[in-house]
């Protein structure tokens, strides 16, 4: 019988390896720093005098921290236990009481500036706070100058510095200043008072 020679199986061709293309790394865009928000407007704007307080033309009329007395204010309004910074004494307005100065000579000034710190306690709503007024010699009563109200001009238990200025009419020589409470149970403590006069 004829000899059968087996047919060799075809040699499979090797599968070429797939060439991997390098994947470029993603480009990272740097994140810019956040833009700071503008500061919120102050709830407690300070009235500005016509002339810069602190100039040589401003003269100290009265200055007191009430640690040893009450000065031009009534002594019985001086209270112990609440004070600005490291003191122990201040002046207190309770409920709707008033706090008046004695007559002060302003004959040499065209304007006065009263700078002070105050702390309010127990104020309940925006109708409660205190008022500031002034009276010159010959006037029938006090004229309103400025008011402070809870939630608008101050918060309870926070010391706040304020400056109030009053123009002195040419025919006036004396002034009396008054703080007056406007609350049911509130207290206002006044401390570190500086009264100055501007002479022209």
């Amino acid at each position: 019988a004829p000899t059968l020679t087996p047919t060799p199986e075809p040699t499979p061709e090797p599968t070429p390896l797939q060439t991997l293309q390098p994947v470029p790394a993603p480009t990272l865009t740097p994140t810019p720093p956040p833009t700071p928000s503008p500061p919120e407007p102050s709830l407690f704007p300070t009235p500005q005098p016509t002339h810069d307080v602190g100039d040589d033309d401003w003269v100290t009329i009265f200055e007191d921290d009430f640690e040893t007395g009450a000065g031009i204010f009534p002594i019985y309004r001086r209270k112990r236990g609440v004070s600005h910074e490291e003191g122990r004494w201040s002046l207190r307005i309770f409920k709707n009481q008033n706090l008046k100065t004695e007559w002060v000579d302003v004959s040499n000034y065209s304007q006065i500036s009263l700078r002070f710190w105050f702390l309010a306690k127990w104020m309940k709503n925006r109708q409660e706070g205190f008022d500031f007024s002034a009276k010159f010699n010959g006037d029938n009563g006090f004229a309103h100058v400025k008011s402070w109200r809870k939630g608008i001009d101050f918060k309870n238990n926070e010391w706040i510095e304020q400056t109030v200025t009053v123009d002195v009419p040419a025919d006036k020589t004396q002034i009396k200043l008054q703080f007056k409470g406007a609350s049911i149970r509130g207290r206002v403590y006044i401390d570190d008072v500086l009264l100055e006069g501007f002479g022209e």
Side-chain angles (χ1 to χ4, degrees), residues 59-81:
V59 178
T60 298
I61 301 173
F62 169 76
E63 184 174 13
D64 207 328
D65 59 5
F66 309 116
E67 292 302 305
T68 58
I72 60 176
F73 293 92
I75 189 66
Y76 60 86
R77 288 283 186 252
R78 185 169 170 258
K79 297 297 178 182
R80 184 177 181 178

Side-chain angles (χ1 to χ4, degrees), residues 76-195:
Y76 60 86
R77 288 283 186 252
R78 185 169 170 258
K79 297 297 178 182
R80 184 177 181 178
V82 178
S83 180
H84 179 239
E85 294 186 340
E86 298 180 358
R88 301 175 68 184
W89 295 83
S90 62
L91 303 180
R92 190 186 74 173
I93 307 166
F94 181 48
K95 296 183 178 180
N96 61 352
Q97 293 175 339
N98 58 51
L99 175 65
K100 299 179 185 178
T101 69
E102 57 192 41
W103 287 107
V104 178
D105 182 11
V106 292
S107 57
N108 295 324
Y109 311 114
S110 61
Q111 191 178 42
I112 64 164
S113 165
L114 181 69
R115 182 179 299 175
F116 62 96
W117 287 81
F118 77 88
L119 173 76
K121 290 178 174 286
W122 295 89
M123 298 293 178
K124 296 299 183 182
N125 52 52
R126 294 189 174 209
Q127 283 72 49
E128 295 196 334
F130 67 104
D131 305 313
F132 176 76
S133 57
K135 175 182 179 180
F136 290 99
N137 56 297
D139 294 347
N140 292 325
F142 284 89
H144 177 266
V145 177
K146 182 173 173 58
S147 295
W148 292 264
R149 292 296 182 265
K150 178 183 180 291
I152 301 174
D153 305 293
F154 66 86
K155 301 176 184 177
N156 282 330
N157 304 308
E158 182 177 77
W159 281 103
I160 300 171
E161 184 182 26
Q162 289 284 272
T163 301
V164 182
T165 59
V166 178
D167 292 327
V168 179
D171 60 338
K172 301 299 182 180
T173 59
Q174 291 184 310
I175 192 172
K176 185 177 286 191
L177 307 175
Q178 174 181 262
F179 292 101
K180 184 172 177 59
S183 70
I184 298 175
R185 296 180 56 205
R187 286 95 161 144
V188 179
Y189 296 88
I190 306 291
D191 204 0
D192 291 339
V193 169
L194 174 62
L195 178 62

Side-chain angles (χ1 to χ4, degrees), residues 15-19:
T15 303
L17 296 176
Q18 182 180 3
T19 304

Side-chain angles (χ1 to χ4, degrees), residues 21-57:
Q21 298 296 326
V23 178
T27 303
L28 297 178
T29 303
T31 303
T35 303
S37 302
E40 296 183 359
S42 171
L43 295 177
F44 318 113
T46 301
Q48 296 298 317
T50 305
H51 310 282
D52 292 335
V53 175
D55 288 350
D56 292 340
D57 290 325

